[in-house]
């Protein structure tokens, strides 16, 4: 069988090859609509895909890049199908509605956009706020920002008084990616 992605060195860990191969096979069937049993794969399932780390597995960066492209393909197909059934105006209306929900959080003052972690450390609030300020510029001024840039964002760790809880930030940024992909 042909391997889909490059593997890591024998002493390193990468994504479990069997899990990745099985996921991509199911995703291909779902995308091509050749198997009703693969209907559980959509853009959200691709974004939330996770694989075990094993010795000599697939290089994570290669798999992650492919997942990003696959998610964009699913979003594009979903958009085309929705527009064919409901029209471009209905699609854009839904995107605007989702963006409006996101925007409400952006109007909060920097340092107060998310709750701090219950204890310990979390994402550095200033770094998260810097990305959210770029999102404000995107919405208000049309300053370029892509889903790939949001996906690639990383935040340093900070103690509770200067941090945001990671879970809510991650969930919010997932919704940001969803909106950006909808218009890319």
């Amino acid at each position: 069988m042909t391997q889909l992605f490059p593997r890591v060195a024998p002493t390193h860990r990468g994504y479990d090859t069997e899990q990745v191969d099985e996921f991509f096979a199911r995703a291909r069937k779902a995308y091509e609509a050749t198997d009703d049993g693969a209907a559980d794969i959509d853009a959200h399932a691709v974004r939330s895909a996770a694989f075990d780390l094993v010795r000599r597995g697939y290089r994570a960066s290669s798999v992650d890049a492919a997942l990003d492209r696959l998610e964009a393909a699913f979003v594009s197909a979903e958009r085309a199908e929705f527009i064919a059934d409901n029209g471009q105006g209905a699609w854009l209306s839904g995107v605007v509605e989702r963006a409006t929900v996101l925007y409400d959080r952006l109007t909060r003052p920097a340092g107060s956009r998310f709750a701090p972690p219950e204890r310990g450390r979390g994402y550095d609030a200033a770094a998260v706020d810097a990305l959210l300020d770029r999102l404000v510029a995107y919405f208000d001024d049309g300053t370029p920002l892509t889903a790939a840039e949001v996906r690639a964002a990383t935040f340093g760790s900070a103690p509770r008084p200067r941090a945001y809880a990671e879970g809510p930030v991650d969930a919010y940024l997932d919704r940001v990616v969803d909106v950006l992909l909808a218009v890319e």
Side-chain angles (χ1 to χ4, degrees), residues 109-120:
S112 301
R113 290 176 169 151
F114 296 94
E118 290 185 23
R119 55 181 156 59

Side-chain angles (χ1 to χ4, degrees), residues 78-92:
E78 291 166 9
R79 175 178 49 227
E81 183 178 338
F82 185 92
I83 289 172
D85 292 344
N86 303 289
Q88 177 97 14
W91 175 261
L92 291 175

Side-chain angles (χ1 to χ4, degrees), residues 51-117:
F51 309 104
D52 293 334
L53 293 174
V54 299
R55 284 197 188 279
R56 196 71 178 108
Y58 286 143
R59 186 177 303 140
S61 60
S62 298
V63 174
D64 290 345
L67 287 169
D68 291 348
R69 291 188 302 273
L70 182 61
E71 180 187 9
F74 269 103
V75 169
S76 179
E78 291 166 9
R79 175 178 49 227
E81 183 178 338
F82 185 92
I83 289 172
D85 292 344
N86 303 289
Q88 177 97 14
W91 175 261
L92 291 175
S93 178
V95 172
V96 167
E97 184 178 319
R98 292 189 314 238
T100 301
V101 170
L102 292 174
Y103 198 84
D104 289 343
R105 184 174 297 273
L106 299 174
T107 62
R108 297 177 186 175
S112 301
R113 290 176 169 151
F114 296 94

